[in-house]
Amino acid sequence: MSSFIPFDRSQPYLLPPDLKSWLPSDDVAHFIVAAVERVPLRAFSVPVRTGGKAQYHPRLMLALLIYAYANGVFSSRRIERATYRDIGIWALMTP
């Protein structure tokens, strides 16, 4: 008889539907989201483009940069890599 917790790698939902619930309530990601929501972004408004891929919202990009810089990640390649691995960044990117 083993005392291991059973697991199934083919389980469809390994993460909760709301990734913010994985972060502690005092995590810096929550503060950054709240702070970026209060920043007026009129300077970032751009005319509507007619072609190409849709752009990411400036609030998302600003929150991503602030979070990465606050965690000592300054390289754009490392920031991009963190978007695949860091739960805090995932929580920033969820609506």
Side-chain angles (χ1 to χ4, degrees):
M1 196 85 166
S2 70
S3 61
F4 296 118
I5 297 172
F7 71 97
D8 180 13
R9 286 196 170 109
S10 63
Q11 178 180 348
Y13 291 110
L14 295 176
L15 299 174
D18 184 14
L19 292 175
K20 293 176 187 111
S21 65
W22 275 51
L23 294 176
S25 61
D26 62 344
D27 193 86
V28 70
H30 298 297
F31 172 75
I32 290 171
V33 168
V36 168
E37 288 300 319
R38 299 185 68 169
V39 173
L41 296 179
R42 287 184 280 283
F44 293 104
S45 63
V46 294
V48 176
R49 295 180 350 172
T50 57
K53 189 175 177 183
Q55 299 172 350
Y56 290 105
H57 197 280
R59 287 194 194 282
L60 172 65
M61 298 305 295
L62 182 60
L64 174 63
L65 286 175
I66 292 171
Y67 182 84
Y69 291 174
N71 286 296
V73 181
F74 301 102
S75 163
S76 61
R77 290 180 180 163
R78 289 187 179 179
I79 292 172
E80 191 265 340
R81 189 178 319 134
T83 62
Y84 293 101
R85 299 179 177 175
D86 191 319
I87 296 292
I89 289 179
W90 288 4
L92 289 174
M93 296 171 64
T94 59

